[in-house]
Amino acid sequence: MQDQENQEAPVDTQPDSTAAQPPEANAGLEEQLAQTEAKLAEMHDAFMRAKAEGENIRRRAQEDVAKAHKFAIESFAESMVPVRDSLEMALKVETPTIESLKEGVELTLKQLTSAFEKNRLLEVMPAPGDKLDPMKHQAVSLVPSEQEPNTVVSVLQKGYTIADRLLRPAIVTVAQPK
């Protein structure tokens, strides 16, 4: 009999997680898992929307740059159309006088100057005696002069800037050192 008393039921050393926890604890874990999965789905959706929005912004920016390149000259072209109209009208006059031609050219030049100013196309016209600026002037010759050395003696051709960027330098002669 003693043998039977010493023989107890075998002890299970491996814990059974579901058996060890009460049923309400399992329900809590399942609820927590469901909340975590819902949060994950929400985060994934937000990520995908943000990614799509980033792509849309990039695409719109590319389209805007393409349109800016395509229509950059539109304002200047609109300013130049009246100048062309004036020149064409001058050619249609059958018997122009010297005075009417001169007056027409002066008015057309005013229109052209206005179009240039409106579009920030400005003259570079140094005065005699101004210091040579190699960033705006191109010296083509040194000439003897009573002026200070390296100063502008005469302007052979005007220069132009557009939006503070040199388009064409003024071509000048410069006083040579004595």
Side-chain angles (χ1 to χ4, degrees), residues 33-100:
L33 178 62
Q35 287 175 352
T36 304
E37 287 175 343
K39 209 176 242 185
L40 176 64
E42 183 181 317
M43 297 287 260
H44 183 267
D45 183 55
F47 168 74
M48 294 305 286
R49 287 178 189 273
K51 184 177 176 184
E53 182 65 22
E55 285 295 315
N56 288 340
I57 289 170
R58 186 188 58 75
R59 182 185 46 78
R60 280 193 298 264
Q62 284 178 334
E63 288 173 1
D64 290 347
V65 167
K67 284 179 185 176
H69 284 276
K70 185 176 180 182
F71 298 111
I73 196 163
E74 182 177 17
S75 173
F76 187 68
E78 285 175 353
S79 302
M80 295 304 295
V81 169
V83 175
R84 181 183 173 126
D85 292 342
S86 294
L87 290 171
E88 287 175 345
M89 288 175 63
L91 291 174
K92 287 182 182 178
V93 176
E94 294 202 17
T95 54
T97 63
I98 299 291
E99 293 81 29
S100 68

Side-chain angles (χ1 to χ4, degrees), residues 24 27 50 57 70 74 77 99 102-103 107 129 136 151 158 175:
E24 57 273 350
I57 289 170
K70 185 176 180 182
E74 182 177 17
E99 293 81 29
K102 185 176 182 197
E103 183 180 332
L107 290 173
K136 293 182 181 178
T151 58
K158 294 178 193 177

Side-chain angles (χ1 to χ4, degrees), residues 75-170:
S75 173
F76 187 68
E78 285 175 353
S79 302
M80 295 304 295
V81 169
V83 175
R84 181 183 173 126
D85 292 342
S86 294
L87 290 171
E88 287 175 345
M89 288 175 63
L91 291 174
K92 287 182 182 178
V93 176
E94 294 202 17
T95 54
T97 63
I98 299 291
E99 293 81 29
S100 68
L101 280 176
K102 185 176 182 197
E103 183 180 332
V105 168
E106 287 173 351
L107 290 173
T108 304
L109 181 59
K110 283 183 183 179
Q111 284 180 319
L112 184 61
T113 302
S114 174
F116 280 11
E117 288 173 358
K118 178 181 174 188
N119 291 282
R120 298 173 35 194
L121 182 62
L122 304 174
E123 289 181 355
V124 174
M125 184 66 176
D130 284 355
K131 191 82 174 147
L132 177 70
D133 181 355
M135 301 304 284
K136 293 182 181 178
H137 311 143
Q138 180 180 349
V140 291
S141 67
L142 293 172
V143 294
S145 175
E146 295 300 316
Q147 292 179 194
E148 290 288 318
N150 295 323
T151 58
V152 174
V153 174
S154 65
V155 178
L156 303 175
Q157 187 178 54
K158 294 178 193 177
Y160 289 93
T161 61
I162 186 164
D164 299 325
R165 185 175 177 183
L166 188 65
L167 183 64
R168 180 179 82 187

